[in-house]
Amino acid sequence: MRMVLEGARVWDGEDDAPSRSAIRIWIERGEISSIGTDPGGEGWRVVTLPAGSVAIPGLIDAHVHLDLDPDLSKPDDQFVVPREERDLRMIARAREMVRAGITTARDLGAGEWREIALRDAIQRGELPGPRLLCAGQPVTVPGGHCHFWGGAAEDAAAQAEVVRRQLEVGVDWIKVMATGGVFTAGSGVDRAQFSEDEISAIVRQAAAGGRKVAAHCHGATGIRHAARAGVRTIEHCSFAGPGGFGSAFDPVAISDLARHGTWVSPTVNEGWNHRIEKDGRPTSFHQRMRFVFAALRGASIPLIASTDAGIPGVRHDRLAFALPALADFAQLTPRETLRTATSDAARALGLEDICGVLRAGRSADVLVLRDDPLENLGVLEDPLLVVARGRVVRDELGVGGSA
């Protein structure tokens, strides 16, 4: 079926503002066939959108864990749930994500590759969900961050074997735990788990397999090692120290990130909205992390939206609620914030020829909103219509169908 959306102004994912007047979007075979110019032909089903509505590209969350239940606070609790039930919950999370307007997501770690099976089922059109990029089992150290997922390696040969195993099962990215993490007790959130040479070897092996590397980094030493080793994205980049996130800032690490062209995926989730003020005054967390973000932006280090969905309390379908927090901490305009979750994220993830913008030839991933999100990010929280790869997955207008 061919479908044309009419009546909405369009923000393409890059422009300074939405179009001044409504522009038609033609969709067929899962792609945008034309914007603004009638491609001709017959059989177009016209969908008239409300006056004042704005169409934007589908959102991208660059860091999620679909196999983690955010209602379970300890890693061991995750494995008590039977595998069949976990699969059903993961399928439900994917459906909730895409209905919320998250049409693409990068899954950065699990233990049994079930998220890869889900990725493939979504791609075949058998299940609703976002386009998924998956990393499988992260490379870590024995007893290190997320060792329970099966990627622990004690030396270079074992590290290479973990990477080989992920490539063999068809991952899209390789993940390395460059430091310890909050989710794994005793792993040392500010402690480097690998040397620069070890991460460099992982990056080379991943590149030989046509894959890029994402590095989990909290402490400054791990950030420096990962940046110098040539990873594509740094996850978290919190400069964690004894005083918490942002308490061990290192300008050398900032210089390394800038020099190597590394993207930062800061995993700002909805809960950060509640860490801005306490008793009417900025929190120390807010002050420290604003300083970190100011340094990143001052060095022109690009940011991409991410939430770490799946960790305790962070739900998978709440990216829209996290973006105002990212805007506050990083001092971004609404346009800059939206770019971190659309065109910039697509570029960082190597998907710029597939999604992230509304343009002829790109995937038909479209959010229709009640009003202009470049004036008010809050309108992202309740989309009127979500189209993912040409399929209507959320319909508050009675549209139905797919194109």
Side-chain angles (χ1 to χ4, degrees):
M1 181 183 73
R2 294 169 153 187
M3 178 168 63
V4 56
L5 305 178
E6 69 171 15
R9 294 187 295 149
V10 172
W11 181 67
D12 69 354
E14 294 181 333
D15 282 346
D16 291 339
S19 59
R20 292 189 176 185
S21 57
I23 300 179
R24 288 181 171 182
I25 303 173
W26 281 266
I27 298 172
E28 61 178 327
R29 294 190 295 274
E31 291 187 348
I32 297 171
S33 61
S34 181
I35 296 182
T37 302
D38 190 339
E42 299 179 350
W44 293 99
R45 178 165 172 246
V46 178
V47 175
T48 302
L49 303 171
S53 60
V54 176
I56 72 168
L59 301 179
I60 300 172
D61 190 333
H63 188 137
V64 305
H65 299 279
L66 272 160
D67 202 21
L68 288 181
D69 187 334
D71 290 329
L72 302 177
S73 60
K74 298 178 181 178
D76 288 348
D77 294 341
Q78 304 283 338
F79 301 104
V80 173
V81 181
R83 180 69 260 181
E84 183 175 300
E85 176 63 22
R86 286 161 60 195
D87 283 348
L88 292 174
R89 293 182 186 182
M90 188 164 55
I91 290 168
R93 290 179 202 124
R95 182 177 63 248
E96 292 163 359
M97 286 175 70
V98 77
R99 280 184 46 80
I102 304 165
T103 56
T104 299
R106 183 175 55 158
D107 188 297
L108 283 182
E112 300 167 86
W113 306 300
R114 298 301 296 162
E115 75 285 357
I116 293 179
L118 176 59
R119 174 198 70 186
D120 295 345
I122 292 170
Q123 183 63 32
R124 292 191 298 266
E126 297 168 0
L127 292 170
R131 172 187 298 99
L132 290 177
L133 304 177
C134 299
Q137 298 169 330
V139 188
T140 189
V141 297
H145 186 44
C146 294
H147 62 89
F148 43 79
W149 277 336
E154 69 279 1
D155 55 27
Q159 293 158 19
E161 172 57 25
V162 174
V163 175
R164 185 202 62 77
R165 190 163 66 236
Q166 308 320 306
L167 294 172
E168 190 174 73
V169 299
V171 298
D172 305 287
W173 280 72
I174 295 296
K175 172 86 173 288
V176 60
M177 300 302 199
T179 71
V182 176
F183 195 50
T184 309
S187 64
V189 68
D190 57 347
R191 188 185 309 152
Q193 296 194 154
F194 296 98
S195 69
E196 179 186 333
D197 287 345
E198 288 175 313
I199 301 176
S200 293
I202 291 169
V203 169
R204 289 194 299 270
Q205 185 181 0
R211 300 293 181 264
K212 296 187 183 301
V213 175
H216 161 103
C217 298
H218 282 296
T221 302
I223 294 170
R224 292 196 306 269
H225 288 172
R228 294 170 183 174
V231 304
R232 176 67 168 177
T233 66
I234 295 282
E235 309 303 308
H236 315 301
C237 200
S238 66
F239 289 96
F245 282 11
S247 68
F249 178 76
D250 180 5
V252 175
I254 294 291
S255 297
D256 286 338
L257 291 167
R259 184 168 63 254
H260 292 279
T262 315
W263 293 74
V264 168
S265 165
T267 59
V268 176
N269 62 61
E270 180 184 8
W272 285 44
N273 286 304
H274 307 298
R275 306 188 73 177
I276 295 173
E277 290 185 350
K278 184 177 182 180
D279 300 326
R281 301 183 64 182
T283 66
S284 59
F285 176 86
H286 184 249
Q287 292 172 327
R288 294 194 307 269
M289 292 311 296
R290 264 206 174 182
F291 182 85
V292 169
F293 279 112
L296 291 169
R297 296 199 67 210
S300 299
I301 296 164
L303 305 175
I304 52 176
S306 53
T307 63
D308 210 358
I311 64 170
V314 182
R315 301 194 176 280
H316 295 76
D317 59 346
R318 305 288 283 186
L319 174 61
F321 296 80
L323 290 178
L326 177 59
D328 181 278
F329 277 86
Q331 290 294 277
L332 303 175
T333 66
R335 174 181 173 269
E336 290 169 332
T337 305
L338 285 170
R339 286 191 57 141
T340 71
T342 55
S343 55
D344 288 348
R347 191 171 298 111
L349 302 186
L351 297 175
E352 63 268 28
D353 293 332
I354 297 172
C355 63
V357 294
L358 297 183
R359 193 168 297 157
R362 302 300 200 275
S363 179
D365 301 336
V366 186
L367 264 66
V368 178
L369 306 168
R370 301 176 189 276
D371 208 340
D372 182 2
L374 277 73
E375 296 291 335
N376 175 16
L377 289 171
V379 301
L380 294 166
E381 299 172 8
D382 187 26
L384 296 173
L385 187 73
V386 179
V387 179
R389 299 175 301 286
R391 296 189 174 199
V392 176
V393 294
R394 176 172 180 151
D395 182 6
E396 304 297 327
L397 303 172
V399 172
S402 61

